[in-house]
Amino acid sequence: MSARIPLPPFPRGWFQVASADELPAGGPLPLRCFGRDLVLFRTQDGEPRVLDAHCPHMGAHLGIGGRVEQDGIRCPFHGWVISGNGVCVRIPYSDTIPPKARTRSWDVRELDGMILVHHTSGEEPPSFDIPPLPEARLPGWSAGMTRRWRIRTHVQEALENIVDPAHFVAVHGMPERPRTEIEIEGHVIRSRSAVKQRGPGGRVVDGTITWEGHGMGYGTIRFTGIVELLFVNTVTPVDDELIDVRFAFWHPSDSARRLGEALAAEVCRQLDEDIPIWENKIYRPQPVLCPGEKGIMTFRKWSSQFL
């Protein structure tokens, strides 16, 4: 918890730690998430596994020099083999495996090109799952560009922008303030914003932006109006100062794809505009709000269940 943003830095829920194509088939990937060092690897049958990174023997980092074998990952220091469940299954120079020779194994899912890890302060099982992306299973849609940022802020601060209508005009130059409605259903938040968008040639087009968040780590944002566009927005805490933000865009495979790619580039440009504000603002627990900004406190009440 930092003095600038006095919120617990590591919420509960599912968070993206890598994309599937970042994980080499035969080797581990070191990670830094939730203020911890982790290691991601695939078992020889292709299943992703995530462990605390340091070997329970003498603390070597399994993701730096470790080697994936049939029954787990081999430590680069003394050759102990740790299974995907975090239990030592083989020591090359001993027939006896100490009972404490184990490390934390994390719940992990591979979904729509993402590798997600469930974070809790203890080791409680997940209380919800992330649903598959419908568009990824439709023949008329295909994956587009991806972008990634590392930003000095908190997960909650980054997500709060979605339900902050006034900033879209002041920061991003939207012609009018969006009209936003919010719905809460347990761990899910949904918002639908009626917006005015500037299209080709500067003409103003009516559209909608619909967000559906499943916990604080994963959300989908769908655009209609100028063009149909979807992107998956994942936000993952690195430590108590930094977050990883990833966008993965999906487009209908039609003649409007180029226009969709232009909108995707504009979405990324707008996030770039937010970064200097996020990195230098403070968090006000009781902000002085105007009529039309109540969605900010609705969002904060929803997000508090994960902190």
Side-chain angles (χ1 to χ4, degrees):
M1 188 178 298
S2 71
R4 186 172 67 92
I5 306 177
L7 295 169
F10 309 127
R12 174 180 61 87
W14 289 99
F15 298 90
Q16 184 178 6
V17 298
S19 60
D21 59 10
E22 288 177 303
L23 180 58
L29 182 68
L31 304 172
R32 180 71 178 170
C33 307
F34 321 121
R36 306 170 72 112
D37 291 316
L38 307 177
V39 58
L40 166 65
F41 64 98
R42 288 192 189 278
T43 62
Q44 292 194 345
D45 60 4
E47 293 297 316
R49 295 287 185 266
V50 174
L51 306 175
D52 276 356
H54 298 108
C55 181
H57 178 212
M58 292 185 66
H61 197 303
L62 299 170
I64 300 175
R67 186 172 73 245
V68 177
E69 299 190 348
Q70 184 172 2
D71 47 358
I73 182 169
R74 176 183 287 271
C75 176
F77 198 9
H78 296 88
W80 288 31
V81 177
I82 311 299
S83 75
N85 294 324
V87 177
C88 180
V89 293
R90 191 166 70 255
I91 299 174
Y93 51 86
S94 176
D95 294 330
T96 301
I97 297 177
K100 293 184 178 180
R102 59 178 61 235
T103 191
R104 180 173 178 177
S105 175
W106 295 69
D107 287 295
V108 59
R109 304 278 189 275
E110 184 169 2
L111 181 68
D112 300 328
M114 300 173 296
I115 297 176
L116 305 166
V117 163
H118 186 262
H119 174 263
T120 63
S121 56
E123 297 190 35
E124 299 88 359
S127 59
F128 64 91
D129 279 317
I130 304 298
L133 192 62
E135 287 85 348
R137 287 145 184 84
L138 293 176
W141 286 76
S142 60
M145 73 179 220
T146 61
R147 282 286 307 273
R148 182 180 180 183
W149 298 261
R150 184 157 287 192
I151 304 169
R152 192 174 67 94
T153 189
H154 188 280
V155 170
Q156 180 174 306
E157 291 274 82
L159 294 179
E160 193 166 280
N161 266 27
I162 300 172
V163 296
D164 179 358
H167 103 280
F168 284 103
V169 177
V171 180
H172 305 311
M174 192 172 281
E176 292 182 11
R177 191 172 71 174
R179 300 186 308 278
T180 300
E181 298 176 352
I182 299 175
E183 173 188 334
I184 305 294
E185 186 179 347
H187 70 276
V188 179
I189 185 169
R190 298 181 181 91
S191 73
R192 185 181 185 279
S193 298
V195 298
K196 300 285 187 181
Q197 301 169 317
R198 285 196 174 91
R203 67 189 180 95
V204 175
V205 177
D206 290 325
T208 62
I209 303 174
T210 305
W211 171 46
E212 182 171 294
H214 292 258
M216 295 180 73
Y218 175 96
T220 57
I221 298 179
R222 292 173 170 86
F223 288 78
T224 67
I226 298 172
V227 69
E228 199 171 1
L229 178 70
L230 156 72
F231 72 96
V232 178
N233 174 29
T234 63
V235 187
T236 301
V238 176
D239 55 30
D240 59 3
E241 287 284 334
L242 296 171
I243 63 171
D244 251 353
V245 177
R246 297 177 189 244
F247 289 176
F249 291 91
W250 293 78
H251 307 264
S253 302
D254 58 21
S255 58
R257 182 181 176 95
R258 186 166 296 180
L259 192 56
E261 290 171 346
L263 178 57
E266 171 62 14
V267 170
C268 294
R269 186 194 68 80
Q270 290 187 13
L271 187 132
D272 289 334
E273 291 178 323
D274 290 320
I275 291 174
I277 296 173
W278 285 333
E279 292 196 330
N280 293 281
K281 73 183 292 296
I282 64 170
Y283 177 78
R284 292 205 181 277
Q286 298 296 328
V288 180
L289 299 177
C290 295
E293 294 182 311
K294 66 178 182 179
I296 292 172
M297 299 311 290
T298 301
F299 165 79
R300 289 188 180 186
K301 183 177 180 180
W302 170 79
S303 67
S304 66
Q305 68 184 292
F306 307 107
L307 297 174

